[in-house]
Amino acid sequence: MKKILIALLIGVVLVSGCVQNQADTEGSAFSDIITECDSLCDVDADAYCVQERTFTINDIEITGTCRGLSKQIQNFNKCREFCKEFERSETTISVKLP
């Protein structure tokens, strides 16, 4: 249930960028998240799998692990099999609306 709610909230963030300017900003923000997480992929298991990061997109804060974000945001180069030693319960995402 929690994953469905999080997915819906992230979907709201994505859909809210209907205006082209906002879509460009969101695309660049997600690009930054993807770049940061990709740089950790296969290099730092703690940072990628369990360390939470906070990103702000259109005044909406998204907090989560790269592992969790990779499951919700398209175009991630997911670190397949990289987080096996960590519990799934450590995969977190939260959304804080303004």
Side-chain angles (χ1 to χ4, degrees):
M1 181 67 171
K2 184 177 178 182
K3 284 186 179 184
I4 293 171
L5 179 60
I6 290 169
L8 288 173
L9 289 173
I10 289 177
V12 168
V13 171
L14 295 174
V15 172
S16 68
C18 291
V19 177
Q20 185 61 37
N21 247 355
Q22 289 177 337
D24 291 343
T25 301
E26 287 178 359
S28 122
F30 285 125
S31 174
D32 293 344
I33 296 169
I34 292 168
T35 299
E36 181 176 339
C37 287
D38 280 350
S39 72
L40 299 171
C41 184
D42 295 323
V43 175
D44 189 338
D46 289 331
Y48 185 88
C49 301
V50 294
Q51 184 180 17
E52 289 190 346
R53 295 171 158 58
T54 300
F55 301 95
T56 303
I57 301 170
N58 291 339
D59 298 325
I60 298 172
E61 286 185 6
I62 299 174
T63 301
T65 62
C66 287
R67 178 187 190 184
L69 292 168
S70 73
K71 296 176 186 303
Q72 301 297 328
I73 299 174
Q74 294 178 348
N75 300 322
F76 253 84
N77 297 322
K78 297 177 183 167
C79 286
R80 303 224 182 264
E81 310 297 321
F82 189 52
C83 298
K84 277 190 162 184
E85 67 273 16
F86 296 95
E87 295 290 326
R88 285 194 177 271
S89 63
E90 295 172 337
T91 301
T92 61
I93 298 176
S94 64
V95 177
K96 182 179 177 186
L97 301 174

